[in-house]
């Protein structure tokens, strides 16, 4: 099923169901059960479907849950395509999935997971989606006594939550996710919100990734991601800009290997960019790697140049140098967490336009001028000033 179809179904069908359910909670008048005794909590369910980067950014909140409920098993419910990555996250004991490839298998998985929830009886459910009706229904159907999620008075969903958390987009998303756990009594001082809990790649994944690229451990790797997730192609910095920027860098630093990344579906788009650069130190690796090899490549890199997407947050987890292009979304909300980063954002009147209150659905924009206005010359100058100044210093010294 396509994301647009799922969003429409969530609004039409999910919204209808939620409004009916709300009638049963209209006279609750904000009654809230006390958080359960930490010693008695055995199972906690966390729901997060969209965005691998967002799931990774939830890990400080999951660590907060672990601190608050040390004896609990934490289960994550997500899409099946997220499974391989989610098993690499620290703090998650079990991952349950829904297949989104078709309505029938989706329904089968939905019923299967409901049976599991009724068997394990999670004491707490954390709904990490912003305003999804479907996840609100799942949360209710678990029959958990404590259900935490985001709520706005103007939005239908959330009336059935026992702990309604206001969505404050003036903080970074890690803070926003942690507010769900803070509603149960977790303290912000118990975690470092910039610490993302992702296991290091295994040695064989590192070796395999380099072997596929015919590179060695001492190779100077710069990873380039010109793609954005299927959630919004508006987040792509123009292909022409990538051609201009990487051509300049690759010619000026011929001892560096510029590895373009992407999935199988993105191969043609990336290939069009790399063919236009056509230099010996340029490689299109789209579709070549497992998720473990992909993480290993990013961890082995010297620098990551990317659109606002998944690699940004991998870079934060591994504390890598990263340059990120923002437009439809703002770095104030989803920006990299490490100091060794550069975020490009023009802050024009119509940006950001991916609004969480509308499930971050794409608007009718056909011309992402917010990204087009970030010129390659500007990006080149700031990237060199931030990440190549020492190298250029030594080059100048040798030339004297």
């Amino acid at each position: 099923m396509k994301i647009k179809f799922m969003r429409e179904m969530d609004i039409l069908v999910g919204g209808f169901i939620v409004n009916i359910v709300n009638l049963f909670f209209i006279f609750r008048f904000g009654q809230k059960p006390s958080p359960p005794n930490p010693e008695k909590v055995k199972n906690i369910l966390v729901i997060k479907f969209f965005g691998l980067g967002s799931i990774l950014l939830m890990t400080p909140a999951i660590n907060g849950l672990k601190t608050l409920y040390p004896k609990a098993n934490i289960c994550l419910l997500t899409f099946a395509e997220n499974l391989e990555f989610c098993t690499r996250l620290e703090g998650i004991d079990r991952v349950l999935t829904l297949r989104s490839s078709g309505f029938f298998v989706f329904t089968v998985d939905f019923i299967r997971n409901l049976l599991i929830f009724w068997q394990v009886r999670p004491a707490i459910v954390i709904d990490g989606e912003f305003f999804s009706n479907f996840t609100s229904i799942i949360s209710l159907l678990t029959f958990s006594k404590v259900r935490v999620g985001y709520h706005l008075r103007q939005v239908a969903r959330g009336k059935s939550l026992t702990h309604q958390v206001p969505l404050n987009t003036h903080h970074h998303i890690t803070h926003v996710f942690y507010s769900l756990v803070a509603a149960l009594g977790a303290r912000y001082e118990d975690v470092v919100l910039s610490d993302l809990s992702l296991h290091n790649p295994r040695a064989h994944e590192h070796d395999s990734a380099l072997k596929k690229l015919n590179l060695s451990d001492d190779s100077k790797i710069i990873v380039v991601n010109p793609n954005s997730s299927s959630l919004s192609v508006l987040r792509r910095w123009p292909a022409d800009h990538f051609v201009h920027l990487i051509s300049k860098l690759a010619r000026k630093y011929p001892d560096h290997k510029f590895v373009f990344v992407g999935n199988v579906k993105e191969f043609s788009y990336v290939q069009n960019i790399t063919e236009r650069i056509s230099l010996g130190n340029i490689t299109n690796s789209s579709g070549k790697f497992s998720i473990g090899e992909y993480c290993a490549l990013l961890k082995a890199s010297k620098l990551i140049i990317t659109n606002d997407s998944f690699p940004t947050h991998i870079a934060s987890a591994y504390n890598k140098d990263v340059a990120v292009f923002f437009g439809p979304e703002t770095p104030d909300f989803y920006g990299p967490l490490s100091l060794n980063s550069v975020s490009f954002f023009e802050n024009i009147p119509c940006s950001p336009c991916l609004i969480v209150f509308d499930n971050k659905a794409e608007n009718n924009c056909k011309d992402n001028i917010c990204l087009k206005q970030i010129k390659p010359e500007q990006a080149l100058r700031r990237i060199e000033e931030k990440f190549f100044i020492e190298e250029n210093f030594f080059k100048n010294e040798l030339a004297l």
Side-chain angles (χ1 to χ4, degrees):
M1 294 184 292
K2 293 184 177 180
I3 291 174
K4 185 176 181 180
F5 172 77
M6 287 191 284
R7 280 176 169 152
E8 291 297 325
M9 290 292 290
D10 187 76
I11 293 171
L12 296 174
V13 180
F16 175 75
I17 296 172
V18 164
N19 276 302
I20 292 176
V21 169
N22 286 345
L23 295 174
F24 295 93
F25 292 90
I26 196 169
F27 298 111
R28 190 177 57 182
F29 297 114
Q31 296 175 18
K32 181 191 300 186
S34 300
N37 185 335
E39 297 296 320
K40 295 182 178 180
V41 175
K42 295 181 179 180
N43 296 293
I44 298 174
L45 174 64
V46 177
I47 305 172
K48 189 74 181 86
F49 287 108
F50 291 104
L52 283 177
S54 291
I55 295 173
L56 177 56
L57 290 165
M58 277 197 81
T59 55
I62 291 171
N63 291 336
L65 276 176
K66 280 288 188 184
T67 302
L68 197 59
Y69 302 102
K71 295 184 178 180
N73 287 313
I74 296 180
C75 175
L76 173 69
L77 177 65
T78 189
F79 284 131
E81 54 264 35
N82 300 336
L83 175 62
E84 187 179 358
F85 177 73
C86 291
T87 58
R88 311 179 74 88
L89 301 177
E90 299 174 11
I92 296 176
D93 302 296
R94 184 180 185 182
V95 181
L96 296 174
T97 62
L98 287 174
R99 289 169 291 176
S100 59
S101 54
F103 185 76
F104 176 75
V105 295
F106 183 88
T107 304
V108 169
D109 287 352
F110 175 67
I111 295 172
R112 173 177 55 82
N113 283 309
L114 273 185
L115 294 175
I116 295 173
F117 301 151
W118 294 341
Q119 180 182 16
V120 301
R121 294 286 182 175
I124 300 169
V125 176
I126 304 287
D127 182 356
E129 293 297 339
F130 296 123
F131 294 110
S132 162
N133 291 309
F134 176 66
T135 56
S136 183
I137 294 168
I138 291 178
S139 179
L140 184 62
L141 288 177
T142 63
F143 299 113
S144 173
K145 293 182 179 180
V146 177
R147 302 179 300 278
V148 187
Y150 299 111
H151 173 67
L152 281 180
R153 187 175 56 185
Q154 301 92 328
V155 179
R157 67 147 269 168
K159 301 290 193 303
S160 62
L161 296 169
T162 61
H163 293 67
Q164 299 173 348
V165 178
L167 180 64
N168 186 346
T169 58
H170 296 288
H171 291 289
H172 191 271
I173 187 61
T174 51
H175 188 285
V176 174
F177 282 141
Y178 198 83
S179 66
L180 295 170
V181 187
L184 296 172
R187 302 185 307 169
Y188 286 94
E189 56 266 32
D190 287 339
V191 297
V192 179
L193 292 177
S194 60
D195 286 350
L196 306 182
S197 300
L198 176 64
H199 289 298
N200 284 323
R202 301 172 182 88
H204 72 86
E205 293 169 331
H206 169 86
D207 295 341
S208 177
L210 295 185
K211 184 177 181 180
K212 287 181 178 180
L213 297 170
N214 197 26
L215 299 176
S216 62
D217 286 334
D218 57 355
S219 296
K220 297 179 180 179
I221 301 170
I222 296 179
V223 172
V224 183
N225 172 46
N227 311 288
S228 63
S229 74
S230 57
L231 292 174
S232 176
V233 295
L234 286 174
R235 291 183 293 175
R236 286 177 175 173
W237 197 45
D240 290 344
H241 288 15
F242 269 108
V243 171
H244 187 109
L245 171 65
I246 303 305
S247 294
K248 293 278 189 181
L249 286 172
R251 286 188 173 93
K252 190 167 184 179
Y253 305 98
D255 57 332
H256 289 64
K257 304 298 181 182
F258 293 80
V259 181
F260 281 73
V261 294
N263 59 37
V264 173
K265 294 179 180 178
E266 294 163 338
F267 180 87
S268 297
Y269 179 77
V270 176
Q271 186 69 10
N272 176 59
I273 296 174
T274 56
E275 285 179 349
R276 291 166 63 190
I277 300 173
S278 190
L279 293 171
N281 57 342
I282 303 292
T283 300
N284 178 9
S285 70
S286 299
K288 283 188 176 182
F289 301 125
S290 67
I291 191 67
E293 293 168 338
Y294 185 79
C295 291
L297 174 67
L298 268 60
K299 194 172 193 304
S301 67
K302 174 184 175 181
L303 171 64
I304 300 166
I305 302 173
T306 177
N307 292 323
D308 164 29
S309 57
F310 184 42
T312 304
H313 312 303
I314 296 287
S316 294
Y318 291 149
N319 197 30
K320 305 300 296 184
D321 291 354
V322 61
V324 192
F325 300 103
F326 287 90
E329 185 56 272
T330 165
D332 292 338
F333 197 46
Y334 265 101
L337 296 167
S338 54
L339 294 176
N340 49 335
S341 63
V342 170
S343 294
F344 297 94
F345 181 60
E346 288 298 289
N347 198 26
I348 63 175
C350 61
S351 174
C353 61
L354 292 180
I355 308 301
V356 295
F357 306 109
D358 192 24
N359 276 323
K360 302 197 74 171
E362 278 192 353
N363 56 26
N364 293 321
C365 176
K366 304 298 181 185
D367 184 18
N368 59 345
I369 59 173
C370 54
L371 283 164
K372 291 179 179 178
Q373 287 189 11
I374 303 172
K375 300 303 181 184
E377 296 81 4
Q378 169 195 354
L380 176 64
R381 182 179 68 254
R382 288 187 61 192
I383 287 172
E384 285 198 290
E385 288 174 352
K386 181 72 174 180
F387 304 115
F388 290 92
I389 188 168
E390 186 175 314
E391 190 161 336
N392 288 330
F393 173 78
F394 284 118
K395 281 185 179 180
N396 293 335
E397 286 290 301
L398 291 172
L400 293 177

CSV table of all heavy atoms in Angstrom, one decimal, residues 60 63 174 178 188-196:
chain,number,residue,atom,x,y,z
A,60,PRO,N,16.5,7.8,22.9
A,60,PRO,CA,16.7,8.4,24.2
A,60,PRO,C,15.4,8.2,25.1
A,60,PRO,O,15.5,8.0,26.3
A,60,PRO,CB,17.0,9.9,23.9
A,60,PRO,CG,17.6,9.9,22.6
A,60,PRO,CD,16.9,8.8,21.8
A,63,ASN,N,15.4,4.7,26.3
A,63,ASN,CA,16.4,4.6,27.4
A,63,ASN,C,15.8,5.1,28.7
A,63,ASN,O,16.0,4.6,29.8
A,63,ASN,CB,17.7,5.3,27.1
A,63,ASN,CG,18.5,4.6,26.0
A,63,ASN,OD1,18.3,3.4,25.7
A,63,ASN,ND2,19.3,5.4,25.3
A,174,THR,N,14.0,14.9,19.6
A,174,THR,CA,14.4,14.0,20.7
A,174,THR,C,13.7,14.4,22.0
A,174,THR,O,13.3,13.6,22.8
A,174,THR,CB,15.9,13.9,20.9
A,174,THR,OG1,16.4,15.2,21.0
A,174,THR,CG2,16.6,13.2,19.7
A,178,TYR,N,10.8,12.4,24.1
A,178,TYR,CA,11.1,12.1,25.5
A,178,TYR,C,9.9,12.6,26.4
A,178,TYR,O,9.7,12.1,27.5
A,178,TYR,CB,12.4,12.7,26.0
A,178,TYR,CG,12.9,12.1,27.3
A,178,TYR,CD1,13.6,10.9,27.3
A,178,TYR,CD2,12.6,12.7,28.5
A,178,TYR,CE1,14.0,10.4,28.5
A,178,TYR,CE2,13.0,12.2,29.7
A,178,TYR,CZ,13.8,11.0,29.7
A,178,TYR,OH,14.2,10.4,30.8
A,188,TYR,N,14.3,14.4,32.6
A,188,TYR,CA,15.1,14.7,31.5
A,188,TYR,C,16.6,14.6,31.9
A,188,TYR,O,17.5,14.3,31.0
A,188,TYR,CB,14.8,16.1,31.0
A,188,TYR,CG,13.5,16.2,30.3
A,188,TYR,CD1,12.4,16.6,30.9
A,188,TYR,CD2,13.5,16.0,28.9
A,188,TYR,CE1,11.2,16.7,30.2
A,188,TYR,CE2,12.3,16.1,28.2
A,188,TYR,CZ,11.1,16.4,28.8
A,188,TYR,OH,10.0,16.5,28.1
A,189,GLU,N,16.9,14.8,33.2
A,189,GLU,CA,18.4,14.8,33.6
A,189,GLU,C,18.9,13.4,33.6
A,189,GLU,O,20.1,13.1,33.8
A,189,GLU,CB,18.6,15.5,34.9
A,189,GLU,CG,17.7,15.0,36.0
A,189,GLU,CD,16.4,15.8,36.2
A,189,GLU,OE1,15.9,16.3,35.2
A,189,GLU,OE2,15.9,15.9,37.4
A,190,ASP,N,18.0,12.4,33.5
A,190,ASP,CA,18.5,11.0,33.6
A,190,ASP,C,19.0,10.5,32.3
A,190,ASP,O,19.6,9.4,32.2
A,190,ASP,CB,17.3,10.0,34.0
A,190,ASP,CG,16.9,10.2,35.5
A,190,ASP,OD1,17.8,10.7,36.2
A,190,ASP,OD2,15.8,9.9,35.9
A,191,VAL,N,18.9,11.2,31.2
A,191,VAL,CA,19.4,10.8,29.9
A,191,VAL,C,20.1,12.0,29.2
A,191,VAL,O,19.8,13.1,29.5
A,191,VAL,CB,18.3,10.3,29.0
A,191,VAL,CG1,17.6,9.0,29.5
A,191,VAL,CG2,17.3,11.3,28.6
A,192,VAL,N,20.9,11.7,28.2
A,192,VAL,CA,21.5,12.7,27.3
A,192,VAL,C,20.7,12.5,26.0
A,192,VAL,O,20.9,11.5,25.3
A,192,VAL,CB,23.0,12.5,27.1
A,192,VAL,CG1,23.5,13.5,26.2
A,192,VAL,CG2,23.7,12.5,28.5
A,193,LEU,N,19.9,13.5,25.7
A,193,LEU,CA,19.1,13.4,24.5
A,193,LEU,C,19.8,13.3,23.2
A,193,LEU,O,19.3,12.8,22.2
A,193,LEU,CB,18.1,14.6,24.5
A,193,LEU,CG,17.1,14.7,25.6
A,193,LEU,CD1,16.2,15.9,25.5
A,193,LEU,CD2,16.2,13.4,25.6
A,194,SER,N,21.1,13.7,23.2
A,194,SER,CA,21.8,13.6,21.9
A,194,SER,C,22.5,12.2,21.8
A,194,SER,O,23.1,12.0,20.7
A,194,SER,CB,22.9,14.7,21.9
A,194,SER,OG,23.8,14.5,23.0
A,195,ASP,N,22.4,11.4,22.8
A,195,ASP,CA,22.9,10.0,22.7
A,195,ASP,C,21.9,9.1,22.0
A,195,ASP,O,20.9,8.7,22.7
A,195,ASP,CB,23.3,9.5,24.1
A,195,ASP,CG,24.6,10.1,24.6
A,195,ASP,OD1,25.3,10.8,23.8
A,195,ASP,OD2,24.9,10.0,25.7
A,196,LEU,N,22.1,8.7,20.8
A,196,LEU,CA,21.2,7.8,20.1
A,196,LEU,C,21.8,6.4,20.2
A,196,LEU,O,23.0,6.2,20.0
A,196,LEU,CB,21.1,8.2,18.6
A,196,LEU,CG,20.6,9.6,18.4
A,196,LEU,CD1,20.5,9.9,16.9
A,196,LEU,CD2,19.3,9.9,19.1
